[in-house]
Amino acid sequence: MTAPPHTAISPSTSSPQQLAEEAVAILESISDGFFSVNRNGEFAYVNRQAERILDVRREDILGKTMAAAYPGLAGTPFEDAYVKAIRDKVATEVTACYPGHGKWYEVRISPAAAGLTFYFRDVTAAVKTEQALRESERSFRQLAESIPQIVWIVDAAGQAVYFNRQWDAYTGVPIDSATPADIAAEFVHPDDRAATMAAWSAAYEQRRGYQVEHRIRSISGDYRWFLVRAEPFFGDDGAIARWFGTSTDIHEAKLAKIALKDSEARYRQLFEALETAGRRHAFQLALADRIRPLSDPAEVTAAASELLGKEVGGKRVVYGETDPDGVWIQMHPDWTTGSMPSMSGVRLRLDDFGVAAVDLLRAGQNLVLHDVTRDAATAPHAAAYRAAGMGAALGIPLMKNGRLQAVLSVHDDVAHHWTPEQVALAEDMVDRTWFAVDSARAQAALRTERDGSQQIFDNMAEGFALLGSDWTLLQVNETGAKLTGRPRDGLVGRNLWDAVPGLAGGPIDQLYQRVQAGRQADHLEHLLTRPDGATVWLDIRVYPLPDARIAIFFRDIGKRKEAEDKLRDADRRKDEFLAMLAHELRNPLAPIGAAAHLLRLGRLDDERVRHTSQIIGRQVDHMTHLINDLLDVSRVTRGLVELEMAPLDIRHVVTDAIEQVAPLMQKRRHHLHSHMPPDTTIVEGDKKRLVQVLANILNNAAKYTDEGGSITLTSEVRADHVIIEVADNGIGMTPELAARAFDLFAQAERSSDRSAGGLGLGLALVKSLVELHRGSVTCDSPGPGQGSRFRVCLPRLVSDDAAGPELGAGPAAAPSAASLRVLIVDDNADAAAMLAMVLETYGHRVHVEHGSLAALDHARAAPPDVCILDIGLPEIDGNELARRLRAQPETRNTVLIAVTGYGHDSDRRKSLVAGFDHHLVKPADTAQLAAILAAIGPVRHP
């Protein structure tokens, strides 16, 4: 701080009285406070700015001593500066808080002939701003280092600028100045590198946010999944200046997403504020008013240059900044009177102006050139000075850490004598001006960094809140406000328990208290009720911070909870199904076992043998039906069913389905009402499968309708589709059961005897088969005891060239009485023996072999009319045996029948290619086999 600007007054034209009046006028016009005291320490003069700043009338303190007027000065830095100025007769400066006012003052005390002068101003706002800034930066650092995510910053070229300590803790390798490609090559999983770099390149080229999921290698060598997000920050020139990003560990969520196809991402982003220099002492009084509102460093230097130039009588003033090697100097915006050209933006080589002269500046000494052509250090280089328009120059160096950083230059185009006072003023101003430039740059960097940090804060994929020690919500991001169902403005600055009623005293309160008291991170899953009554499951993680504050991260885990419920429900239904399957399989095994025991006794007459055989046949049919249902569901759900599509009359499909379930309905004395359209209605489909669909629905209605109940089947023909509806007055369904009626293993409540039977597969099969026909199926029920209704909707075939309805199957041929030579080949001795006994009852001559090679020899020696072969044979399989039988002249024309457990469509194709004429699936339908043999008989034995 220096004395205010003054105007030179010639003693020959001004009286002492006039000089005093002009001095008072100047002091009354300045923007800072001024007062003087005499040698006795009494107030001699007080300007009006001092009255305003001190909130006192000058009449009340003039003539009083400073100790009397302001007793609170005792023991303060102001008293120390005051005593030093008196004792050492030197100017002193001090910036301190005066307790009596609770304000900060910047004061310069200068000795005068009559006592002391005091220039001062109120800097309370600037000091508080600097303190708040430092506290904010400290909070940002603490937060960024306390969170579990990796927080990072890279520059526009991708060079690493900052990685928080979580990176070092996870990888064990600190980041220096690596590029994204370097990091990807060293740490990212090889399978993820290409996608990572492609996403990075796209984000950079399109100037948008960057997001990728990839695996990063840990210090142990294992890889974990991370969600990486970054946002670009743009500089004043519109170009990308930096990228602010976070890498969030989503390993468990990623694995769950792969398993359940349920993506949950948790993403964490926070900020790391760069340290910036605080505002240093303000400029001298006249300069302070001019540069105080300026924030651009170029504007600061230009304004300071103008004020200095006018004050010292220079014609051009310019600040220049040197390069790190001290070879070149870059000129900043300057000020000129107009008589000299501007040097703004010019880059000059320092040594061109004389090594001796420049060495003075590098040594931290002033360069005072009254006439560049006469000074010994610059005369040999006068041409360089003249090229720059300089006839005289004043250079004041700014040294930082022993290196020349900048030079303040004042120029004149002719010789100029620089007075010691002018040199001193320039020295004083160079520090102050450069301090203002540094402060402006620091503030701009802080704003840039805070804006970037705020971007990270607001773009986090999960909620974040910062709680003070008194439970005040200091920070809440947008995601966090949305998760709580409250506006952000209604949360920040309020007490948590007031802002979110209902939390006090509950699990969340206990969690926060525990973390704050124990200083250990903890977490909790909690069902939060929002103000609108909706609920949301939150995963809440709490971390302790210094000063008893806590950081809270929370995310919506509703989808995960829903998936867990579905898994539990599916597991429960699976257990129920396995129990039902065991029960259903044990039921037929009991009578089969009893029948086998009776047959082993050998004491049965023919009637009892027939009755026992009928029991075994019925139970085997029941088990076959159960197994076929399981295989059907397996094939349909895996997409392995191949439909034999053809034009069908829907009336024939319905008739066949009713025929299949008629025995069950008759047994339970149901009343079936069928309403079909009188005209032919064609759909395209697989008849066998569509009959299966309607039979399953009718069978379901029969099982869950009490004896004597009513079942109605109606068909409605629309322009482009057909609707078939089955309604009953049975036990009905709850809304929950109706919603999952078509799920695997879904069933209504059963009595302990399971009189209705079944595995809960029929309706699941119905839904899959209908959808394969490009149709839909629905069900509804008014409620328990009020019946159910199922509706099947199928596309109608209305093309003019559609083929007519399929031909009805003719009556089955009666078994032939002709006797055939039959060779049975099966490694299961019991199965082969039983089948031989059955065929012998039909009058056929049967020979059994259990090995493929023995069967070939027998067939060559005694060619059979029919060979019944198992596919899964030892030595060579049934398909290869068939090919060899076809290759032998003796058996080239023998009828080959496959009887096997392999029943897939692809298995049938393989057997036909191998040479089989027929393919039957175990357990074979003996009636069907007898019909095939009966059809062969007339051909072989006309």
Side-chain angles (χ1 to χ4, degrees), residues 38-62:
N38 57 27
R39 289 190 174 90
N40 297 324
E42 298 169 339
F43 284 95
Y45 171 75
V46 179
N47 74 348
R48 64 168 172 258
Q49 285 298 333
E51 286 185 294
R52 179 186 62 80
I53 295 172
L54 299 175
D55 193 23
V56 66
R57 294 191 310 163
R58 66 182 84 186
E59 293 84 359
D60 294 339
I61 59 174
L62 287 174

PDB file of all heavy atoms in Angstrom, residues 38-62:
ATOM      1  N   ASN A  38      -0.507  13.051  15.581  1.00  0.00           N
ATOM      2  CA  ASN A  38       0.686  13.864  15.874  1.00  0.00           C
ATOM      3  C   ASN A  38       1.646  13.054  16.734  1.00  0.00           C
ATOM      4  O   ASN A  38       1.424  11.879  17.001  1.00  0.00           O
ATOM      5  CB  ASN A  38       0.300  15.177  16.556  1.00  0.00           C
ATOM      6  CG  ASN A  38      -0.493  14.942  17.838  1.00  0.00           C
ATOM      7  OD1 ASN A  38      -0.347  13.894  18.483  1.00  0.00           O
ATOM      8  ND2 ASN A  38      -1.351  15.882  18.216  1.00  0.00           N
ATOM      9  N   ARG A  39       2.727  13.699  17.139  1.00  0.00           N
ATOM     10  CA  ARG A  39       3.743  12.971  17.894  1.00  0.00           C
ATOM     11  C   ARG A  39       3.225  12.466  19.239  1.00  0.00           C
ATOM     12  O   ARG A  39       3.811  11.580  19.842  1.00  0.00           O
ATOM     13  CB  ARG A  39       4.974  13.866  18.115  1.00  0.00           C
ATOM     14  CG  ARG A  39       5.783  14.103  16.834  1.00  0.00           C
ATOM     15  CD  ARG A  39       7.106  14.773  17.160  1.00  0.00           C
ATOM     16  NE  ARG A  39       7.951  14.872  15.997  1.00  0.00           N
ATOM     17  CZ  ARG A  39       7.952  15.896  15.149  1.00  0.00           C
ATOM     18  NH1 ARG A  39       7.109  16.916  15.363  1.00  0.00           N
ATOM     19  NH2 ARG A  39       8.743  15.897  14.094  1.00  0.00           N
ATOM     20  N   ASN A  40       2.145  13.044  19.722  1.00  0.00           N
ATOM     21  CA  ASN A  40       1.557  12.596  20.990  1.00  0.00           C
ATOM     22  C   ASN A  40       0.551  11.455  20.779  1.00  0.00           C
ATOM     23  O   ASN A  40      -0.086  11.001  21.727  1.00  0.00           O
ATOM     24  CB  ASN A  40       0.848  13.760  21.694  1.00  0.00           C
ATOM     25  CG  ASN A  40       1.827  14.873  22.075  1.00  0.00           C
ATOM     26  OD1 ASN A  40       2.970  14.585  22.439  1.00  0.00           O
ATOM     27  ND2 ASN A  40       1.381  16.119  21.963  1.00  0.00           N
ATOM     28  N   GLY A  41       0.437  11.021  19.528  1.00  0.00           N
ATOM     29  CA  GLY A  41      -0.499   9.930  19.247  1.00  0.00           C
ATOM     30  C   GLY A  41      -1.932  10.382  19.170  1.00  0.00           C
ATOM     31  O   GLY A  41      -2.843   9.558  19.207  1.00  0.00           O
ATOM     32  N   GLU A  42      -2.195  11.706  19.020  1.00  0.00           N
ATOM     33  CA  GLU A  42      -3.559  12.222  18.972  1.00  0.00           C
ATOM     34  C   GLU A  42      -4.002  12.366  17.509  1.00  0.00           C
ATOM     35  O   GLU A  42      -3.213  12.723  16.639  1.00  0.00           O
ATOM     36  CB  GLU A  42      -3.624  13.589  19.676  1.00  0.00           C
ATOM     37  CG  GLU A  42      -3.259  13.512  21.146  1.00  0.00           C
ATOM     38  CD  GLU A  42      -3.061  14.902  21.765  1.00  0.00           C
ATOM     39  OE1 GLU A  42      -2.820  15.863  20.986  1.00  0.00           O
ATOM     40  OE2 GLU A  42      -3.144  15.019  22.971  1.00  0.00           O
ATOM     41  N   PHE A  43      -5.280  12.063  17.282  1.00  0.00           N
ATOM     42  CA  PHE A  43      -5.828  12.186  15.934  1.00  0.00           C
ATOM     43  C   PHE A  43      -5.740  13.644  15.495  1.00  0.00           C
ATOM     44  O   PHE A  43      -6.256  14.558  16.155  1.00  0.00           O
ATOM     45  CB  PHE A  43      -7.282  11.725  15.878  1.00  0.00           C
ATOM     46  CG  PHE A  43      -7.450  10.242  15.914  1.00  0.00           C
ATOM     47  CD1 PHE A  43      -7.688   9.565  17.105  1.00  0.00           C
ATOM     48  CD2 PHE A  43      -7.345   9.515  14.741  1.00  0.00           C
ATOM     49  CE1 PHE A  43      -7.837   8.203  17.132  1.00  0.00           C
ATOM     50  CE2 PHE A  43      -7.499   8.128  14.766  1.00  0.00           C
ATOM     51  CZ  PHE A  43      -7.737   7.470  15.964  1.00  0.00           C
ATOM     52  N   ALA A  44      -5.065  13.846  14.332  1.00  0.00           N
ATOM     53  CA  ALA A  44      -4.916  15.211  13.800  1.00  0.00           C
ATOM     54  C   ALA A  44      -5.825  15.439  12.588  1.00  0.00           C
ATOM     55  O   ALA A  44      -6.287  16.557  12.362  1.00  0.00           O
ATOM     56  CB  ALA A  44      -3.453  15.466  13.420  1.00  0.00           C
ATOM     57  N   TYR A  45      -6.048  14.379  11.805  1.00  0.00           N
ATOM     58  CA  TYR A  45      -6.903  14.513  10.611  1.00  0.00           C
ATOM     59  C   TYR A  45      -7.545  13.156  10.324  1.00  0.00           C
ATOM     60  O   TYR A  45      -6.905  12.114  10.463  1.00  0.00           O
ATOM     61  CB  TYR A  45      -6.079  14.953   9.395  1.00  0.00           C
ATOM     62  CG  TYR A  45      -6.865  14.903   8.105  1.00  0.00           C
ATOM     63  CD1 TYR A  45      -7.828  15.877   7.800  1.00  0.00           C
ATOM     64  CD2 TYR A  45      -6.685  13.852   7.221  1.00  0.00           C
ATOM     65  CE1 TYR A  45      -8.566  15.793   6.634  1.00  0.00           C
ATOM     66  CE2 TYR A  45      -7.426  13.759   6.054  1.00  0.00           C
ATOM     67  CZ  TYR A  45      -8.374  14.749   5.752  1.00  0.00           C
ATOM     68  OH  TYR A  45      -9.110  14.656   4.593  1.00  0.00           O
ATOM     69  N   VAL A  46      -8.813  13.192   9.921  1.00  0.00           N
ATOM     70  CA  VAL A  46      -9.568  11.973   9.563  1.00  0.00           C
ATOM     71  C   VAL A  46     -10.386  12.286   8.315  1.00  0.00           C
ATOM     72  O   VAL A  46     -11.166  13.247   8.316  1.00  0.00           O
ATOM     73  CB  VAL A  46     -10.505  11.535  10.708  1.00  0.00           C
ATOM     74  CG1 VAL A  46     -11.288  10.294  10.291  1.00  0.00           C
ATOM     75  CG2 VAL A  46      -9.735  11.274  11.997  1.00  0.00           C
ATOM     76  N   ASN A  47     -10.184  11.502   7.211  1.00  0.00           N
ATOM     77  CA  ASN A  47     -10.982  11.782   6.002  1.00  0.00           C
ATOM     78  C   ASN A  47     -12.359  11.107   6.099  1.00  0.00           C
ATOM     79  O   ASN A  47     -12.622  10.306   7.006  1.00  0.00           O
ATOM     80  CB  ASN A  47     -10.232  11.371   4.728  1.00  0.00           C
ATOM     81  CG  ASN A  47     -10.190   9.871   4.521  1.00  0.00           C
ATOM     82  OD1 ASN A  47     -10.521   9.110   5.413  1.00  0.00           O
ATOM     83  ND2 ASN A  47      -9.755   9.455   3.344  1.00  0.00           N
ATOM     84  N   ARG A  48     -13.235  11.440   5.137  1.00  0.00           N
ATOM     85  CA  ARG A  48     -14.599  10.933   5.246  1.00  0.00           C
ATOM     86  C   ARG A  48     -14.696   9.418   5.003  1.00  0.00           C
ATOM     87  O   ARG A  48     -15.596   8.767   5.513  1.00  0.00           O
ATOM     88  CB  ARG A  48     -15.527  11.685   4.292  1.00  0.00           C
ATOM     89  CG  ARG A  48     -15.224  11.525   2.816  1.00  0.00           C
ATOM     90  CD  ARG A  48     -16.410  12.089   2.022  1.00  0.00           C
ATOM     91  NE  ARG A  48     -16.112  12.134   0.601  1.00  0.00           N
ATOM     92  CZ  ARG A  48     -15.763  13.218  -0.066  1.00  0.00           C
ATOM     93  NH1 ARG A  48     -15.646  14.377   0.578  1.00  0.00           N
ATOM     94  NH2 ARG A  48     -15.523  13.174  -1.373  1.00  0.00           N
ATOM     95  N   GLN A  49     -13.775   8.848   4.202  1.00  0.00           N
ATOM     96  CA  GLN A  49     -13.794   7.390   4.035  1.00  0.00           C
ATOM     97  C   GLN A  49     -13.465   6.715   5.359  1.00  0.00           C
ATOM     98  O   GLN A  49     -14.000   5.636   5.665  1.00  0.00           O
ATOM     99  CB  GLN A  49     -12.796   6.969   2.944  1.00  0.00           C
ATOM    100  CG  GLN A  49     -13.248   7.253   1.527  1.00  0.00           C
ATOM    101  CD  GLN A  49     -14.518   6.508   1.163  1.00  0.00           C
ATOM    102  OE1 GLN A  49     -14.783   5.460   1.711  1.00  0.00           O
ATOM    103  NE2 GLN A  49     -15.317   7.096   0.279  1.00  0.00           N
ATOM    104  N   ALA A  50     -12.558   7.305   6.158  1.00  0.00           N
ATOM    105  CA  ALA A  50     -12.254   6.742   7.474  1.00  0.00           C
ATOM    106  C   ALA A  50     -13.484   6.809   8.371  1.00  0.00           C
ATOM    107  O   ALA A  50     -13.767   5.865   9.133  1.00  0.00           O
ATOM    108  CB  ALA A  50     -11.090   7.495   8.111  1.00  0.00           C
ATOM    109  N   GLU A  51     -14.229   7.929   8.298  1.00  0.00           N
ATOM    110  CA  GLU A  51     -15.476   8.017   9.065  1.00  0.00           C
ATOM    111  C   GLU A  51     -16.432   6.875   8.691  1.00  0.00           C
ATOM    112  O   GLU A  51     -17.028   6.227   9.553  1.00  0.00           O
ATOM    113  CB  GLU A  51     -16.156   9.360   8.802  1.00  0.00           C
ATOM    114  CG  GLU A  51     -15.496  10.554   9.466  1.00  0.00           C
ATOM    115  CD  GLU A  51     -16.308  11.824   9.236  1.00  0.00           C
ATOM    116  OE1 GLU A  51     -16.409  12.259   8.068  1.00  0.00           O
ATOM    117  OE2 GLU A  51     -16.866  12.345  10.212  1.00  0.00           O
ATOM    118  N   ARG A  52     -16.562   6.625   7.361  1.00  0.00           N
ATOM    119  CA  ARG A  52     -17.501   5.592   6.903  1.00  0.00           C
ATOM    120  C   ARG A  52     -17.033   4.198   7.329  1.00  0.00           C
ATOM    121  O   ARG A  52     -17.823   3.388   7.826  1.00  0.00           O
ATOM    122  CB  ARG A  52     -17.622   5.647   5.380  1.00  0.00           C
ATOM    123  CG  ARG A  52     -18.564   4.589   4.795  1.00  0.00           C
ATOM    124  CD  ARG A  52     -18.541   4.595   3.279  1.00  0.00           C
ATOM    125  NE  ARG A  52     -17.220   4.264   2.766  1.00  0.00           N
ATOM    126  CZ  ARG A  52     -16.766   3.012   2.685  1.00  0.00           C
ATOM    127  NH1 ARG A  52     -17.494   2.001   3.095  1.00  0.00           N
ATOM    128  NH2 ARG A  52     -15.549   2.774   2.189  1.00  0.00           N
ATOM    129  N   ILE A  53     -15.755   3.912   7.120  1.00  0.00           N
ATOM    130  CA  ILE A  53     -15.255   2.574   7.429  1.00  0.00           C
ATOM    131  C   ILE A  53     -15.288   2.305   8.924  1.00  0.00           C
ATOM    132  O   ILE A  53     -15.677   1.205   9.365  1.00  0.00           O
ATOM    133  CB  ILE A  53     -13.823   2.403   6.878  1.00  0.00           C
ATOM    134  CG1 ILE A  53     -13.832   2.483   5.338  1.00  0.00           C
ATOM    135  CG2 ILE A  53     -13.208   1.090   7.329  1.00  0.00           C
ATOM    136  CD1 ILE A  53     -12.450   2.519   4.723  1.00  0.00           C
ATOM    137  N   LEU A  54     -14.887   3.301   9.740  1.00  0.00           N
ATOM    138  CA  LEU A  54     -14.835   3.111  11.193  1.00  0.00           C
ATOM    139  C   LEU A  54     -16.170   3.391  11.866  1.00  0.00           C
ATOM    140  O   LEU A  54     -16.321   3.166  13.068  1.00  0.00           O
ATOM    141  CB  LEU A  54     -13.753   4.008  11.806  1.00  0.00           C
ATOM    142  CG  LEU A  54     -12.318   3.742  11.323  1.00  0.00           C
ATOM    143  CD1 LEU A  54     -11.372   4.777  11.924  1.00  0.00           C
ATOM    144  CD2 LEU A  54     -11.889   2.336  11.688  1.00  0.00           C
ATOM    145  N   ASP A  55     -17.134   3.914  11.059  1.00  0.00           N
ATOM    146  CA  ASP A  55     -18.456   4.234  11.604  1.00  0.00           C
ATOM    147  C   ASP A  55     -18.346   5.198  12.796  1.00  0.00           C
ATOM    148  O   ASP A  55     -18.859   4.962  13.885  1.00  0.00           O
ATOM    149  CB  ASP A  55     -19.185   2.946  12.011  1.00  0.00           C
ATOM    150  CG  ASP A  55     -20.663   3.224  12.288  1.00  0.00           C
ATOM    151  OD1 ASP A  55     -21.189   4.233  11.760  1.00  0.00           O
ATOM    152  OD2 ASP A  55     -21.295   2.424  13.010  1.00  0.00           O
ATOM    153  N   VAL A  56     -17.611   6.310  12.536  1.00  0.00           N
ATOM    154  CA  VAL A  56     -17.400   7.297  13.602  1.00  0.00           C
ATOM    155  C   VAL A  56     -17.372   8.702  12.986  1.00  0.00           C
ATOM    156  O   VAL A  56     -17.032   8.858  11.798  1.00  0.00           O
ATOM    157  CB  VAL A  56     -16.070   6.991  14.330  1.00  0.00           C
ATOM    158  CG1 VAL A  56     -14.891   7.194  13.408  1.00  0.00           C
ATOM    159  CG2 VAL A  56     -15.918   7.841  15.584  1.00  0.00           C
ATOM    160  N   ARG A  57     -17.773   9.670  13.745  1.00  0.00           N
ATOM    161  CA  ARG A  57     -17.634  11.061  13.280  1.00  0.00           C
ATOM    162  C   ARG A  57     -16.268  11.578  13.676  1.00  0.00           C
ATOM    163  O   ARG A  57     -15.795  11.337  14.778  1.00  0.00           O
ATOM    164  CB  ARG A  57     -18.723  11.933  13.912  1.00  0.00           C
ATOM    165  CG  ARG A  57     -20.132  11.570  13.452  1.00  0.00           C
ATOM    166  CD  ARG A  57     -21.134  12.619  13.898  1.00  0.00           C
ATOM    167  NE  ARG A  57     -20.988  12.915  15.322  1.00  0.00           N
ATOM    168  CZ  ARG A  57     -21.486  13.997  15.914  1.00  0.00           C
ATOM    169  NH1 ARG A  57     -22.143  14.904  15.212  1.00  0.00           N
ATOM    170  NH2 ARG A  57     -21.324  14.181  17.203  1.00  0.00           N
ATOM    171  N   ARG A  58     -15.681  12.275  12.704  1.00  0.00           N
ATOM    172  CA  ARG A  58     -14.312  12.739  12.978  1.00  0.00           C
ATOM    173  C   ARG A  58     -14.268  13.665  14.189  1.00  0.00           C
ATOM    174  O   ARG A  58     -13.287  13.714  14.916  1.00  0.00           O
ATOM    175  CB  ARG A  58     -13.728  13.395  11.728  1.00  0.00           C
ATOM    176  CG  ARG A  58     -14.395  14.676  11.285  1.00  0.00           C
ATOM    177  CD  ARG A  58     -13.774  15.225  10.001  1.00  0.00           C
ATOM    178  NE  ARG A  58     -14.356  14.580   8.837  1.00  0.00           N
ATOM    179  CZ  ARG A  58     -13.924  14.780   7.602  1.00  0.00           C
ATOM    180  NH1 ARG A  58     -12.876  15.559   7.377  1.00  0.00           N
ATOM    181  NH2 ARG A  58     -14.526  14.198   6.592  1.00  0.00           N
ATOM    182  N   GLU A  59     -15.350  14.439  14.421  1.00  0.00           N
ATOM    183  CA  GLU A  59     -15.368  15.356  15.578  1.00  0.00           C
ATOM    184  C   GLU A  59     -15.241  14.601  16.897  1.00  0.00           C
ATOM    185  O   GLU A  59     -14.751  15.144  17.891  1.00  0.00           O
ATOM    186  CB  GLU A  59     -16.675  16.163  15.586  1.00  0.00           C
ATOM    187  CG  GLU A  59     -16.814  17.135  14.430  1.00  0.00           C
ATOM    188  CD  GLU A  59     -17.364  16.454  13.191  1.00  0.00           C
ATOM    189  OE1 GLU A  59     -17.610  15.230  13.271  1.00  0.00           O
ATOM    190  OE2 GLU A  59     -17.517  17.131  12.145  1.00  0.00           O
ATOM    191  N   ASP A  60     -15.683  13.287  16.886  1.00  0.00           N
ATOM    192  CA  ASP A  60     -15.664  12.528  18.142  1.00  0.00           C
ATOM    193  C   ASP A  60     -14.286  12.002  18.490  1.00  0.00           C
ATOM    194  O   ASP A  60     -14.061  11.574  19.637  1.00  0.00           O
ATOM    195  CB  ASP A  60     -16.633  11.345  18.035  1.00  0.00           C
ATOM    196  CG  ASP A  60     -18.078  11.808  17.922  1.00  0.00           C
ATOM    197  OD1 ASP A  60     -18.378  12.951  18.319  1.00  0.00           O
ATOM    198  OD2 ASP A  60     -18.910  11.007  17.420  1.00  0.00           O
ATOM    199  N   ILE A  61     -13.369  11.958  17.503  1.00  0.00           N
ATOM    200  CA  ILE A  61     -12.064  11.366  17.826  1.00  0.00           C
ATOM    201  C   ILE A  61     -10.914  12.345  17.630  1.00  0.00           C
ATOM    202  O   ILE A  61      -9.807  12.088  18.121  1.00  0.00           O
ATOM    203  CB  ILE A  61     -11.820  10.110  16.992  1.00  0.00           C
ATOM    204  CG1 ILE A  61     -11.855  10.418  15.497  1.00  0.00           C
ATOM    205  CG2 ILE A  61     -12.830   9.032  17.318  1.00  0.00           C
ATOM    206  CD1 ILE A  61     -11.485   9.225  14.640  1.00  0.00           C
ATOM    207  N   LEU A  62     -11.108  13.448  16.886  1.00  0.00           N
ATOM    208  CA  LEU A  62     -10.026  14.409  16.700  1.00  0.00           C
ATOM    209  C   LEU A  62      -9.584  14.941  18.059  1.00  0.00           C
ATOM    210  O   LEU A  62     -10.405  15.320  18.904  1.00  0.00           O
ATOM    211  CB  LEU A  62     -10.470  15.551  15.792  1.00  0.00           C
ATOM    212  CG  LEU A  62     -10.613  15.201  14.300  1.00  0.00           C
ATOM    213  CD1 LEU A  62     -11.193  16.378  13.520  1.00  0.00           C
ATOM    214  CD2 LEU A  62      -9.258  14.810  13.718  1.00  0.00           C
TER     215      LEU A  62
END
